Amino acid sequence: MTSYRPLHDGWALSGGDVDSVAATVPGCVHTDLLAAGLIDDPYLDENEQKLAWIGRTDWVYETVFSHEPGADRTDLVCAGLDTVATVVLNGVELGRTANQHRGYRFDVRAVLRAGENQLRIHFASAYSYAEAQRDRLGDRPNAYPEPFNFIRKSACNFGWDWGPTLVTAGIWQEIGLQSWSVARLAEVRPQVTVAGDTGSVEVRVRLDRAAAGPVTLVATVAGERVETTTEGDEAVLSLTVRDPELWWPAGYGAQPRYDVDVTLSGPDGELDSWRRKVGFRSVRVDTTADADGSAFTLLVNDVPVFVRGVNWIPDDVFANRVTRERLAARFAQALGANVNYLRVWGGGRYESEDFYDLADELGLMVGQDFLFACAAYPEEEPFATELAAEAREQVVRLASHPSLMMWTGNNENIWGHEDWDWKAALGDKSWGAGYYFELLPRIVAAEDPSRPYWPGSPYSGRDDKHPNDPAYGTMHIWDVWNTDDYTMYREYRPRFVAEFGYQAPPAYATLRRALSDDPLTHDSPGMRAHQKAQDGDAKLQRGLDAHLPAPRDFDDWHYLTQLNQARALSLGIEHFRSLRPLCMGAIMWQLNDCWPVTSWAAVDGDGRRKPLWYALRRSFAPRLLTVQPRDGGLALVAVNDSGEPWPVSAAVSRRTLSGLVLAEVTLDATVAPGSATTLPLPAEVATAADPTQEVLVATAPEQRAWWFFAEDKDIAWPPAKFDAVFEAVGADARVQITAHHILRDLTLSPDRLDPAAETDDSGVTLLPGESATFIVRGGAGLEPTALSTRPVLRCVNDLA
């Protein structure tokens, strides 16, 4: 019987001026040096800038282990080595690796000793390797002055416009000894399909053999069993399941899964076994041409699904710190914001089994990029061979997960080749086209034919169209943020938006944990070190200038920039959703952060929800009321992503800021499942006599939509007058605010008083006389007056 023994204990790390320190495996150099007290925390203050030497140093991991021989074969199994490694056992070189994104296996029968063995893994500097490849093959354009496109390693390790430059090395995934006899299950790939009331599981098996002869394979699922005997290295076992329960995305149905069990037996009994949960569902992308271009609609079990998505980056620079529990918390935040889709971005990692198992369990759809981002990539050796092995391994590993909806060839490289002045710089050098249009689709077609592949994000799907054409395929919108105001989102009529976003700083408690700046200002040294976007602060200021009163101090700046981020994404998302079915996806950039930083994230690097998160929860709600400009006027749009008809009766009124109703209308409609209904508003409601003194509000059960006729900076907001009532409820606090005047975007930030405290709502606008109740988790011991005054409780009226 196959046995596996982890080799995770007794490791030591050395390199550079570091003689020897204890090492954690799986792990990396940075976390080991941090644990040893040899470096300062790179996430704090300006420490990151002091640690560039780590990525330019060679490192050695060593351990000693005992072994008792017995099996026919023993392999050293390395699930992930980061990145340029030479593996030596008992003084014998087993092999060399140069790819973080794939595993390696070494036959160590002839090298292992009975008793004590020494394993040594030398990691050469990733910089030295990448720069040598660049010099050999010729430079190629990329988005940052780093050689990340010349090494198969997470691109964002070399820094990004939201991430630190912390170039890691180490044994970043499992390592151990696998002992086996006769044969083992080298690869098991169940291809699951469903047609009508019949589910099929085609189990493809590849064997490694230590001896010739017949072996028996048995596969079972849902009470069905099939057996075959083979003397070869490959076999296919086909099972049929009648009336399987279908796996559905969250909000569309349940997520039943079935165990697939595979056993391998020889003449003397069982040799190996394998188990994986699978789900029965179909997935395809409709790209039918129409009068507006061509669709890009995801269908699950033949039901069109509007993708309410977020982009996902590695949740920590150091992968060993991303536990299943941490992923579960982040997924709960995604689902809590009414997200149904995670796009795993191509500059990070192929995500873990925990990631995909949780997504399967919770019904979160996933799109996985192959790992290419914002650069021209060489197609010469050794990269061509490495890429083929990497892609095949990852496709086979992930293909059985029902949550995985599609593979995408790269992030922004086809667009970059077209628009970012690459062609002159490249000349006749390769840039990755062979991967995206030939190698990767060929591998997906062979190993995962039931799932769609799309060459890039963005990509129009046609050679005769620009790769970022809104009318075709997928697009990214980055002129908003980089050059244009966020109201520009309304100028687009896209079929599917795979990236768009707007920046803001993290929560105040996150800043204060990470930065010792005194005073803390938007351009103090630590804040500058944690703002990675080019001209990021200037772009934040441009957004404030367009919409909001001028901040008087850092507290104002922090509140207003977070508010502007929330408003920008809400405007974009609600516009895109209002276009349904023309537009069938909006994937905002980004859900999460990997460290404390000013960024586009809704959840900051300490896991705290920014005001944007609450805005996503409203704008991504399965049923949405939104006011949109239409044909020179305004319309109320009701969007229904649920599976049931939605009877809407909305009272729409134009009011003065003091609450006086100037005009009112009631609109009724029944919105069919998976559709949007547009209800034009009459001119007397939709047209303001004095835009600076009037507001439009639409109200229906559990729904409210606003339209302000002027920018906040041009409105004479009344003073922020309200009554506040505090009540302790167990460990929590209930804070009720009753408005004397209209209160615009009321936001509570209890983390300013206790880093562990958080509120259940944010960005609430109240008409005169209305009340809102905030539940502050962990807030029972907080001082009531502090909870209801600036800077903890804020609204735009504060700045009047």
Side-chain angles (χ1 to χ4, degrees):
M1 179 67 180
T2 298
S3 65
Y4 178 78
R5 176 190 172 192
L7 296 178
H8 293 169
D9 299 327
W11 288 90
L13 169 70
S14 60
D17 294 332
V18 178
D19 289 334
S20 182
V21 297
T24 298
V25 171
C28 74
V29 170
H30 289 76
T31 50
D32 289 334
L33 296 178
L34 183 61
L38 297 180
I39 62 171
D40 294 325
D41 189 334
Y43 284 14
L44 305 184
D45 293 315
E46 300 167 80
N47 295 338
E48 170 215 352
Q49 299 168 11
K50 307 171 187 176
L51 302 180
W53 62 275
I54 296 175
R56 293 192 173 277
T57 301
D58 290 359
W59 298 96
V60 175
Y61 280 77
E62 293 182 89
T63 191
V64 174
F65 63 91
S66 61
H67 177 69
E68 295 300 328
D72 293 344
R73 171 87 174 257
T74 299
D75 297 336
L76 176 66
V77 183
C78 307
L81 300 175
D82 177 17
T83 292
V84 185
T86 302
V87 184
V88 178
L89 178 61
N90 296 328
V92 176
E93 183 178 310
L94 301 178
R96 300 188 178 200
T97 78
N99 191 336
Q100 180 187 7
H101 305 309
R102 57 173 292 209
Y104 295 86
R105 177 181 289 265
F106 305 100
D107 180 354
V108 293
R109 284 174 298 180
V111 182
L112 275 173
R113 303 168 181 160
E116 188 173 278
N117 292 264
Q118 183 185 51
L119 178 59
R120 186 175 189 268
I121 304 180
H122 176 275
F123 291 93
S125 162
Y127 273 113
S128 297
Y129 176 90
E131 289 167 352
Q133 295 291 344
R134 182 187 62 193
D135 294 345
R136 180 177 69 87
L137 297 172
D139 199 6
R140 285 160 171 81
N142 68 26
Y144 302 99
E146 296 279 344
F148 63 83
N149 47 334
F150 288 92
I151 186 170
R152 293 312 297 161
K153 176 174 172 60
S154 295
C156 61
N157 246 199
F158 292 84
W160 219 259
D161 55 6
W162 39 258
T165 303
L166 295 168
V167 178
T168 56
I171 306 167
W172 79 285
Q173 294 196 74
E174 293 280 327
I175 188 170
L177 293 174
Q178 186 178 43
S179 297
W180 53 282
S181 297
V182 183
R184 73 174 190 92
L185 296 169
E187 185 177 288
V188 179
R189 178 174 59 83
Q191 181 183 324
V192 182
T193 56
V194 61
D197 61 357
T198 302
S200 299
V201 182
E202 189 177 80
V203 183
R204 295 186 175 272
V205 179
R206 185 174 61 81
L207 304 177
D208 276 351
R209 285 181 171 272
V215 292
T216 300
L217 286 160
V218 176
T220 62
V221 61
E224 302 296 323
R225 181 182 187 276
V226 65
E227 177 178 324
T228 189
T229 299
T230 180
E231 296 192 33
D233 297 335
E234 295 186 358
V236 178
L237 298 89
S238 298
L239 300 102
T240 299
V241 179
R242 299 295 179 187
D243 297 315
E245 295 183 73
L246 297 182
W247 185 97
W248 290 94
Y252 287 79
Q255 293 80 43
R257 291 187 290 167
Y258 295 79
D259 288 325
V260 175
D261 289 284
V262 178
T263 59
L264 172 68
S265 300
D268 298 323
E270 186 174 311
L271 300 171
D272 201 356
S273 63
W274 181 96
R275 169 174 280 193
R276 172 70 59 83
K277 289 185 180 295
V278 301
F280 288 93
R281 60 101 185 94
S282 65
V283 59
R284 61 188 175 92
V285 176
D286 178 10
T287 57
T288 303
D290 57 29
D292 296 294
S294 63
F296 195 90
T297 302
L298 184 70
L299 293 97
V300 181
N301 301 326
D302 289 325
V303 174
V305 175
F306 190 99
V307 169
R308 305 190 303 267
V310 289
N311 281 272
W312 175 272
I313 65 170
D315 205 52
D316 199 291
V317 174
F318 309 123
N320 56 300
R321 303 206 293 207
V322 183
T323 62
R324 185 181 179 92
E325 292 71 26
R326 179 163 163 176
L327 288 171
R330 207 66 70 241
F331 283 18
Q333 289 171 322
L335 289 167
N338 290 309
V339 165
N340 64 13
Y341 191 101
L342 306 173
R343 175 190 169 225
V344 181
W345 169 75
R349 311 177 186 123
Y350 299 102
E351 276 297 342
S352 66
E353 287 302 312
D354 282 337
F355 179 101
Y356 274 95
D357 186 59
L358 284 166
D360 292 345
E361 176 186 314
L362 297 170
L364 272 168
M365 299 180 288
V366 180
Q368 175 73 60
D369 284 9
F370 287 100
L371 298 188
F372 305 90
C374 301
Y377 283 78
E379 299 176 42
E380 292 84 355
E381 294 295 348
F383 297 108
T385 297
E386 281 296 329
L387 255 299
E390 167 193 317
R392 189 182 183 282
E393 177 180 319
Q394 296 298 340
V395 170
V396 168
R397 179 175 73 91
L398 298 176
S400 60
H401 287 283
S403 58
L404 180 57
M405 295 288 113
M406 66 183 300
W407 295 96
T408 300
N410 70 85
N411 176 78
E412 297 191 342
N413 294 349
I414 301 172
W415 182 22
H417 183 260
E418 185 66 26
D419 271 4
W420 299 351
D421 300 323
W422 290 6
K423 294 177 182 178
L426 282 167
D428 60 356
K429 293 195 286 287
S430 63
W431 60 276
Y435 299 143
Y436 317 138
F437 296 109
E438 297 174 17
L439 174 67
L440 297 176
R442 185 168 65 245
I443 289 173
V444 172
E447 309 298 343
D448 193 13
S450 66
R451 187 174 280 112
Y453 168 83
W454 197 247
S457 185
Y459 184 60
S460 64
R462 293 177 51 161
D463 292 339
D464 63 336
K465 297 296 180 183
H466 189 280
N468 201 37
D469 190 322
Y472 298 85
T474 62
M475 78 168 304
H476 294 186
I477 301 177
W478 283 114
D479 50 359
V480 174
W481 170 250
N482 282 321
T483 57
D484 294 335
D485 185 61
Y486 61 75
T487 55
M488 184 69 178
Y489 285 134
R490 293 197 181 111
E491 301 301 314
Y492 285 95
R493 289 176 53 82
R495 308 314 298 264
F496 192 104
V497 190
E499 279 190 24
F500 63 105
Y502 209 89
Q503 263 203 353
Y508 186 82
T510 299
L511 288 174
R512 284 285 54 165
R513 184 193 70 82
L515 306 180
S516 58
D517 294 2
D518 187 17
L520 182 64
T521 69
H522 76 275
D523 62 350
S524 55
M527 286 292 291
R528 287 198 301 270
H530 290 247
Q531 166 60 282
K532 294 291 187 176
Q534 183 177 8
D535 299 325
D537 282 352
K539 293 170 184 176
L540 287 172
Q541 188 62 49
R542 187 188 69 230
L544 295 183
D545 292 343
H547 298 281
L548 291 159
R552 300 160 298 189
D553 55 23
F554 179 78
D555 290 334
D556 283 356
W557 180 87
H558 186 260
Y559 164 65
L560 292 174
T561 50
Q562 287 197 331
L563 173 61
N564 224 29
Q565 180 191 39
R567 288 187 183 179
L569 271 295
S570 281
L571 185 145
I573 289 167
E574 294 185 17
H575 167 65
F576 301 140
R577 292 188 68 193
S578 78
L579 299 176
R580 179 176 183 154
L582 177 81
C583 178
M584 285 300 291
I587 307 179
M588 59 79 62
W589 185 273
Q590 65 214 59
L591 174 67
N592 58 327
D593 267 328
C594 62
W595 75 313
V597 63
T598 297
S599 87
W600 297 263
V603 176
D604 73 21
D606 281 8
R608 294 188 175 90
R609 300 177 297 183
K610 292 156 71 168
L612 170 58
W613 182 91
Y614 302 88
L616 292 181
R617 183 174 63 182
R618 287 190 290 272
S619 296
F620 270 153
R623 291 177 170 178
L624 170 71
L625 278 186
T626 179
V627 178
Q628 296 291 327
R630 290 288 189 272
D631 300 324
L634 296 176
L636 183 67
V637 183
V639 183
N640 182 15
D641 282 353
S642 75
E644 300 295 330
W646 180 23
V648 177
S649 182
V652 186
S653 59
R654 177 168 57 90
R655 301 169 180 248
T656 65
L657 295 182
S658 63
L660 177 65
V661 176
L662 301 174
E664 189 170 21
V665 64
T666 298
L667 301 176
D668 296 302
T670 298
V671 189
S675 68
T677 298
T678 299
L679 304 169
L681 294 175
E684 62 269 20
V685 173
T687 305
D690 184 350
T692 67
Q693 292 293 321
E694 298 173 24
V695 61
L696 185 151
V697 59
T699 303
E702 300 182 358
Q703 294 282 336
R704 176 167 275 185
W706 297 88
W707 181 269
F708 290 86
F709 295 99
E711 300 294 347
D712 291 77
K713 63 186 179 67
D714 300 320
I715 296 174
W717 291 105
K721 291 186 178 180
F722 53 85
D723 296 324
V725 177
F726 175 94
E727 179 186 8
V729 183
D732 302 332
R734 180 180 289 122
V735 181
Q736 184 182 66
I737 305 297
T738 301
H740 291 193
H741 305 299
I742 187 172
L743 298 179
R744 176 75 158 128
D745 281 309
L746 196 63
T747 299
L748 187 62
S749 302
D751 63 286
R752 283 178 168 266
L753 303 177
D754 180 349
E758 63 176 1
T759 184
D760 68 332
D761 208 352
S762 181
V764 178
T765 295
L766 297 177
L767 291 169
E770 291 184 335
S771 297
T773 300
F774 297 89
I775 306 300
V776 180
R777 294 181 180 86
L782 300 180
E783 207 282 311
T785 301
L787 264 178
S788 58
T789 55
R790 182 184 186 275
V792 178
L793 185 68
R794 299 302 309 268
C795 60
V796 176
N797 308 59
D798 291 349
L799 291 100

